[in-house]
Amino acid sequence: MMMSASPQSKKVLVHSQRQRSRPTSPSPSPPPDLSYTTAPSNELAKDLPPAPASWLTLPHKRQLFVLALCRLSEPLANTSLLSYFYYLLESFHEPGTPPPSSATISRHAGIIASSFALSQCMTGMIWGWLSDRIGRKPCVLLGLVGSAISALGLGFSNTFESALMFRILGGCLNGNVGVLRTMLSETVREKRHQSRAFLIMPMCFNVGIIVGPALGGILADPASSWPEVFGHWEWCQRHRWALPNVVSAMFLTGSFIAGLGFLNEVDIYLPFVRPEVEGANGYQTLESKKHRSIGHDVQSFLSRQFHRLRGAPTDEASPLIARPAATPPATPPPATPVLTPNIVKTLFAFALLPLHNNTFMNLYPLLLSAPHGAPLHGGLSLSAQSVGLALSILGALGITCQLLFYPPLHARLGLLRSFQLGCCLFPVAYTLTPLLSFLTPGSTFMWVAIMGILGMQITARTFALPGAVILLTNSIEEEEVLGTVHGIGSSLASAARAVGPVVGAWLFAAGLEASGGVGVGGVFWVLAAVGAAGAVWGLRMREGRGLGV
């Protein structure tokens, strides 16, 4: 006989059945937090504000480093010449004949400096045009090779004519200033980074001024300066000024190797190179060469040129069977105006800066090296080593100003006002420079005065030169003319560097030869007038929209 269940057990059974029949409540969810978010990281990044602009947040750091290395090697080679240039020209005379006078040396220095700049002027636009067609990287590498050949030839020259020839050759084979500026503007598009990115080129110039003159002063005439090391080397005795140029050529070769292996071609517009991959308006971009070998680059370039002559498709992946003849050819894109009114105004200011700045940079070593004489009618009689030290101080002041003062003041004042401030400081520095001839050579007060006056000139250059490049870049609103406009700017700047030094050197020589009047002060006060005209022009300029964001 089965026993009946007790009333209490029935209650327990019914309660358990009800519990099972109830829907279970979900477990409490964790509080919302980014760690539980399943959204992609790129969507989150869109909502985050951009990081503040700084040296650490600059994009494409490796590309910028290689560009800086390519730019650094050239001012290092050119500025090392300044410390002993006066004595190099003094050595150009036949044995048994007296050396040339200080006035003759000054004129020869102006001719050589102007010939280099004039040859750059005549070829700068060609290099800019060529970089738009075959790419920036080949032009940069050819420029480094040309600079190395020029440095070696100049170092082993025994006559003024041979030195002049190698400087002209170096100017013709080197259009890197405009091409590197174009690559820099294509690499860094965001305007918030431009104030630092466009400091790289003048900063490399100032680093070159620090290292180059010191290197030139130390290695010049090594058989006499370091007889225990170089005294038994016959070629150092016969070619007293060759060693600094050999070292400069080694730096240029190292930059060439770095550029060959690590410099990436920036995407640029190349018309009608590959019709089957055309973009808008018949244009397409040159693909990045980051992962392509050098041999593949050469083979691809030669293949494209060969097929262009045949009128066939030029893409490496094109089919073996030619396209039907009925396929219509690509129509040329509408012509883009290269020179707008704002570009013309900016180009004028861009050319006016090197007219007085580079003239000053060529006259300054002559003033330091020329024999001491009456006030305003002589120099400071400094040796090659002392001239190198003075130029190195100038470079150290410049790079300190660029790293510490320019970025915060640029952020506070803005691009245009920073440029205008720099232009206003030039005339003051030029007016005070010839007064150095009143001081006793080698005295402590002389060195303090040199640092003070040149500190002002370096501050002006630090604010004006990168500002001029950024203003020129921002005045360009069509990407396909970017390289051409920078090539025009490079040619105009080279023309100014060609005219300024030769005219300045003749005025300086006339001041040394004159027995009265303003002497060497006249040329520096003419520079002050030119700098004042540039300052007035800068006050009338405006900043363009540019290509960046």
Side-chain angles (χ1 to χ4, degrees), residues 63-64 67-68 136 178-189 194 196-202 266 469-470 473 482 486:
Q63 177 83 348
L64 293 177
L67 289 174
R136 320 292 191 208
V179 177
L180 288 173
R181 283 172 179 164
T182 304
M183 292 191 74
L184 184 62
S185 62
E186 291 169 333
T187 302
V188 180
R189 296 294 183 90
Q194 285 183 341
R196 288 174 174 83
F198 280 89
L199 273 179
I200 292 176
M201 297 302 167
V266 183
V469 177
I470 299 174
T473 301
L482 182 65
H486 274 287

Coordinates of all heavy atoms in Angstrom, one line a residue, residues 63-64 67-68 136 178-189 194 196-202 266 469-470 473 482 486:
Q63 N 60.7 59.3 -43.2 CA 60.8 60.0 -44.4 C 61.4 61.4 -44.1 O 62.3 61.9 -44.8 CB 59.5 60.2 -45.1 CG 59.5 61.0 -46.3 CD 59.9 60.2 -47.6 OE1 60.4 59.1 -47.5 NE2 59.6 60.8 -48.7
L64 N 61.0 62.1 -43.0 CA 61.5 63.4 -42.7 C 63.0 63.3 -42.3 O 63.8 64.2 -42.6 CB 60.7 64.0 -41.6 CG 59.3 64.3 -41.9 CD1 58.6 64.9 -40.6 CD2 59.2 65.4 -43.0
L67 N 65.0 63.0 -45.5 CA 65.0 64.3 -46.2 C 66.0 65.2 -45.5 O 66.7 66.0 -46.2 CB 63.6 64.9 -46.2 CG 62.6 64.2 -47.1 CD1 61.2 64.9 -46.9 CD2 63.0 64.4 -48.6
A68 N 66.0 65.2 -44.2 CA 66.9 66.1 -43.4 C 68.3 65.7 -43.7 O 69.2 66.5 -43.8 CB 66.6 66.0 -41.9
R136 N 60.5 62.6 -57.6 CA 61.4 63.4 -56.8 C 62.7 62.7 -56.5 O 63.8 63.3 -56.5 CB 60.7 63.9 -55.5 CG 59.3 64.2 -55.6 CD 59.0 65.5 -56.3 NE 57.6 65.9 -56.2 CZ 57.0 66.7 -57.1 NH1 57.6 67.0 -58.2 NH2 55.7 67.0 -56.9
G178 N 64.8 73.1 -54.2 CA 63.4 73.1 -54.5 C 62.7 71.8 -54.5 O 61.6 71.7 -54.0
V179 N 63.4 70.7 -54.9 CA 62.8 69.4 -54.9 C 62.6 68.9 -53.5 O 61.5 68.3 -53.2 CB 63.7 68.4 -55.7 CG1 63.1 67.0 -55.6 CG2 63.9 68.9 -57.1
L180 N 63.5 69.1 -52.6 CA 63.3 68.7 -51.2 C 62.2 69.5 -50.5 O 61.5 68.9 -49.7 CB 64.6 68.8 -50.4 CG 65.8 67.8 -50.8 CD1 67.0 68.2 -50.1 CD2 65.3 66.4 -50.4
R181 N 62.1 70.8 -50.8 CA 61.0 71.5 -50.3 C 59.7 71.0 -50.8 O 58.7 70.9 -50.0 CB 61.1 73.0 -50.6 CG 62.2 73.7 -49.8 CD 62.4 75.1 -50.4 NE 63.4 75.9 -49.6 CZ 64.0 77.0 -50.0 NH1 63.7 77.5 -51.2 NH2 64.9 77.6 -49.3
T182 N 59.6 70.6 -52.0 CA 58.4 70.0 -52.6 C 58.0 68.7 -51.9 O 56.9 68.5 -51.5 CB 58.5 69.8 -54.1 OG1 58.9 71.1 -54.7 CG2 57.2 69.3 -54.7
M183 N 59.0 67.9 -51.7 CA 58.8 66.6 -51.0 C 58.3 66.8 -49.6 O 57.5 66.1 -49.1 CB 60.1 65.7 -51.0 CG 60.5 65.2 -52.4 SD 61.8 64.0 -52.3 CE 60.9 62.6 -51.7
L184 N 58.9 67.8 -48.9 CA 58.5 68.1 -47.6 C 57.0 68.6 -47.5 O 56.3 68.2 -46.6 CB 59.4 69.2 -47.0 CG 59.2 69.5 -45.5 CD1 59.4 68.3 -44.6 CD2 60.1 70.7 -45.1
S185 N 56.6 69.4 -48.4 CA 55.3 69.9 -48.5 C 54.3 68.8 -48.8 O 53.1 68.8 -48.4 CB 55.1 71.1 -49.5 OG 55.4 70.7 -50.8
E186 N 54.7 67.8 -49.6 CA 53.9 66.7 -49.9 C 53.8 65.7 -48.8 O 52.8 65.0 -48.6 CB 54.4 66.0 -51.2 CG 54.2 66.8 -52.4 CD 55.0 66.2 -53.6 OE1 56.0 65.6 -53.4 OE2 54.6 66.5 -54.7
T187 N 54.9 65.6 -48.0 CA 54.9 64.6 -46.9 C 54.0 65.1 -45.7 O 53.3 64.3 -45.1 CB 56.3 64.4 -46.4 OG1 57.1 63.9 -47.5 CG2 56.4 63.4 -45.3
V188 N 54.1 66.4 -45.4 CA 53.4 67.0 -44.2 C 52.3 67.9 -44.8 O 52.7 69.0 -45.2 CB 54.3 67.7 -43.3 CG1 53.6 68.3 -42.1 CG2 55.4 66.7 -42.8
R189 N 51.1 67.5 -44.8 CA 50.0 68.3 -45.4 C 49.2 69.1 -44.3 O 48.7 70.2 -44.6 CB 49.0 67.4 -46.1 CG 49.6 66.7 -47.3 CD 50.0 67.7 -48.4 NE 50.5 67.0 -49.6 CZ 49.7 66.7 -50.6 NH1 48.4 66.9 -50.5 NH2 50.2 66.1 -51.6
Q194 N 53.0 72.2 -39.9 CA 53.9 72.8 -40.8 C 54.9 73.7 -40.2 O 56.1 73.8 -40.7 CB 53.1 73.6 -41.9 CG 52.4 72.7 -42.9 CD 51.7 73.6 -43.9 OE1 51.4 74.7 -43.7 NE2 51.3 73.0 -45.0
R196 N 56.6 73.2 -37.6 CA 57.8 72.4 -37.2 C 58.4 71.7 -38.4 O 59.7 71.6 -38.5 CB 57.4 71.4 -36.1 CG 57.1 72.1 -34.8 CD 56.6 71.1 -33.8 NE 56.5 71.7 -32.4 CZ 55.5 72.5 -32.1 NH1 54.5 72.7 -32.9 NH2 55.4 73.0 -30.9
A197 N 57.6 71.2 -39.3 CA 58.1 70.4 -40.4 C 59.0 71.3 -41.3 O 60.0 70.9 -41.8 CB 57.0 69.8 -41.2
F198 N 58.5 72.5 -41.6 CA 59.2 73.4 -42.5 C 60.4 74.1 -41.8 O 61.2 74.8 -42.4 CB 58.3 74.5 -43.0 CG 57.5 74.0 -44.2 CD1 56.3 73.4 -44.0 CD2 58.0 74.0 -45.5 CE1 55.5 72.9 -45.0 CE2 57.2 73.6 -46.5 CZ 56.0 73.0 -46.3
L199 N 60.6 73.8 -40.5 CA 61.9 74.2 -39.8 C 63.0 73.2 -40.1 O 64.2 73.6 -39.9 CB 61.7 74.3 -38.3 CG 61.1 75.6 -37.7 CD1 61.0 75.4 -36.2 CD2 62.1 76.7 -38.0
I200 N 62.7 72.1 -40.7 CA 63.7 71.0 -40.8 C 64.8 71.5 -41.8 O 66.0 71.3 -41.6 CB 63.1 69.7 -41.3 CG1 62.2 69.1 -40.2 CG2 64.1 68.7 -41.8 CD1 61.5 67.9 -40.6
M201 N 64.4 72.1 -42.9 CA 65.4 72.6 -43.9 C 66.3 73.7 -43.4 O 67.5 73.5 -43.4 CB 64.7 73.0 -45.2 CG 63.9 71.9 -45.9 SD 65.0 70.5 -46.3 CE 63.7 69.3 -46.7
P202 N 65.8 74.8 -42.8 CA 66.7 75.8 -42.2 C 67.4 75.3 -41.0 O 68.6 75.7 -40.7 CB 65.8 77.0 -41.9 CG 64.4 76.4 -41.8 CD 64.4 75.3 -42.8
V266 N 57.2 60.2 -53.0 CA 55.9 60.7 -52.5 C 54.9 60.6 -53.7 O 55.3 60.8 -54.9 CB 56.0 62.1 -52.0 CG1 54.7 62.6 -51.5 CG2 57.1 62.2 -51.0
V469 N 58.8 79.8 -47.0 CA 58.6 78.5 -47.7 C 57.1 78.1 -47.4 O 56.4 77.6 -48.4 CB 59.5 77.4 -47.2 CG1 59.2 76.1 -47.8 CG2 61.0 77.8 -47.5
I470 N 56.6 78.2 -46.2 CA 55.2 77.9 -45.9 C 54.3 78.8 -46.6 O 53.2 78.3 -47.2 CB 55.0 77.9 -44.4 CG1 55.9 76.9 -43.7 CG2 53.6 77.5 -44.1 CD1 55.8 77.0 -42.1
T473 N 54.1 77.6 -50.2 CA 53.4 76.4 -50.3 C 51.9 76.6 -50.1 O 51.1 76.1 -50.9 CB 53.9 75.4 -49.2 OG1 55.3 75.1 -49.4 CG2 53.1 74.1 -49.3
L482 N 52.5 72.0 -58.1 CA 53.3 72.2 -56.9 C 54.8 72.2 -57.1 O 55.5 73.1 -56.7 CB 52.9 71.1 -55.9 CG 53.6 71.2 -54.5 CD1 53.2 72.5 -53.7 CD2 53.3 70.0 -53.7
H486 N 57.5 75.5 -57.0 CA 58.7 75.4 -56.2 C 59.9 75.5 -57.0 O 61.0 76.1 -56.6 CB 58.7 74.2 -55.3 CG 57.9 74.3 -54.0 ND1 58.4 75.0 -53.0 CD2 56.7 73.8 -53.6 CE1 57.5 75.0 -52.0 NE2 56.5 74.3 -52.4

